[in-house]
């Protein structure tokens, strides 16, 4: 027991940081919540792998971390591509001298539609992106998590209030983000007992990123077969929503969260301060949906 406390105290040693000596993969860390998570993890001493389909944004994020005294590499690619997943794990293990301690499965986007208009492609893409890809990443990283070296191991899967409560217009995303919680608990149950791996879900509410910005701003992603998916929420929908939503009356803190606040919660879960929190879904919502 005292060894464990010493270990935790060691990880809390400032200025090395709470994640000193750990190697972390953060998918979708070229921008938004993932980029902030990469920055905060690096500030706490982690060596960070910035994984994103947008190669320019991934390398910019890694460069900014390195310029401010942290340690990061960019490994760009699409988590829907099996070959990329193999490469991501291989390059991370090389960067980490044979170790990987943390995976944050954060990459993702929404492709909304009401139930009767949602296509098979919309459905399959969103399930593959938010459930199948994280599973394949975790499976590929198994040799680095099923180890007994006394070092912390953490898997954090990013979910959404849509997965917990459902959301009109997001049947595919709600299903996928709900699936994430079952996957997380299964990892906690399989890899906790022998290997001490912690696995938790962090579910966000309304966080200010391009996913929740006005659709008219023009952000989009491209599916593997080249289809453009527009991101954001139409301004008309924002303006015509219930008054309660417009004024954030549905959020006890009366405001959306910032990417930094969202990432800070991910850091908290990954940190030794949460060393006995396992298999949980942490809602980061400003109190919405209580
Ligand atoms: N913003 C919110 O309000 C909110 C709410 C709930 C959940 N989330 C979840 O948080 C996560 C991060 O979202 P965000 O708001 O920061 O979005 P974002 O669009 O700002 O960032 C997501 C990043 O993921 C990358 N990405 C997307 N598809 C990818 C793929 N196939 N392979 C590799 N990288 C890919 C994008 O290039 C982008 O850089 C997502 O899983 C999202 O569903 C966000």
């Amino acid at each position: 027991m005292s060894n464990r406390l010493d270990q935790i105290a060691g990880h809390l040693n400032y200025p090395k940081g709470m994640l000193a000596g750990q190697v972390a993969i953060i998918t979708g860390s070229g921008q938004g919540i993932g980029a902030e998570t990469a920055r905060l993890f690096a500030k706490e001493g982690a060596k960070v792998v910035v994984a994103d389909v947008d190669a320019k944004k991934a390398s910019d994020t890694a460069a900014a971390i390195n310029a401010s005294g942290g340690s990061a590499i960019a490994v760009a690619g699409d988590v829907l591509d099996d070959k990329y997943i193999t490469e991501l794990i291989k390059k991370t293990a090389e960067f980490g001298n044979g170790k990987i301690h943390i995976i944050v499965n954060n990459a993702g986007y929404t492709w909304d539609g009401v139930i009767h208009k949602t296509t098979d492609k919309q459905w399959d893409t969103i399930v593959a992106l938010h459930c199948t890809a994280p599973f394949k990443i975790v499976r590929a990283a198994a040799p680095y998590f099923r180890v007994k070296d006394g070092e912390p191991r953490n898997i954090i899967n990013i979910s959404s209030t849509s997965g917990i409560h459902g959301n009109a217009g997001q049947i595919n995303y709600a299903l996928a983000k709900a699936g994430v919680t079952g996957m997380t608990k299964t990892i906690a149950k399989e890899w906790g007992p022998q290997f001490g791996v912690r696995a938790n879900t962090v579910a966000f509410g309304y966080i200010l990123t391009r996913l929740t910005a006005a659709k008219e701003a023009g952000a989009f992603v491209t599916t593997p077969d080249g289809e453009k998916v527009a991101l954001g929420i139409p301004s008309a929908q924002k303006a015509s929503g219930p008054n309660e939503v417009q004024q954030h009356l549905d959020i006890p803190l009366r405001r959306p969260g910032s990417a930094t606040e969202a990432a800070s919660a991910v850091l908290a879960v990954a940190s030794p301060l949460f060393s006995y929190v396992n298999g949980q879904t942490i809602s980061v919502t400003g109190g919405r949906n209580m």
Side-chain angles (χ1 to χ4, degrees), residues 55-76:
K56 167 87 171 68
K57 285 181 177 158
S59 68
D60 286 353
T61 302
I65 288 170
N66 289 322
S68 60
S71 175
I73 57 167
V75 181

Side-chain angles (χ1 to χ4, degrees), residues 27-35 51-54 57 77-81 84 105-110 129-130 133 158-162 173 177 202-212 221-222 224 231 259:
T27 68
S29 48
Q31 66 201 306
I33 297 164
D52 202 290
V53 70
D54 189 322
K57 285 181 177 158
D78 189 335
V79 296
L80 296 173
D81 174 1
Y84 170 65
N105 277 310
N106 166 79
Y109 53 84
T110 47
L129 183 60
H130 294 278
I158 300 303
S159 184
S160 159
T161 46
S162 298
Y173 186 70
K177 287 304 202 187
V202 177
F204 299 126
Y206 176 10
I207 308 297
L208 294 170
T209 69
R210 67 178 185 160
L211 283 194
T212 51
V221 287
T222 310
L231 302 178

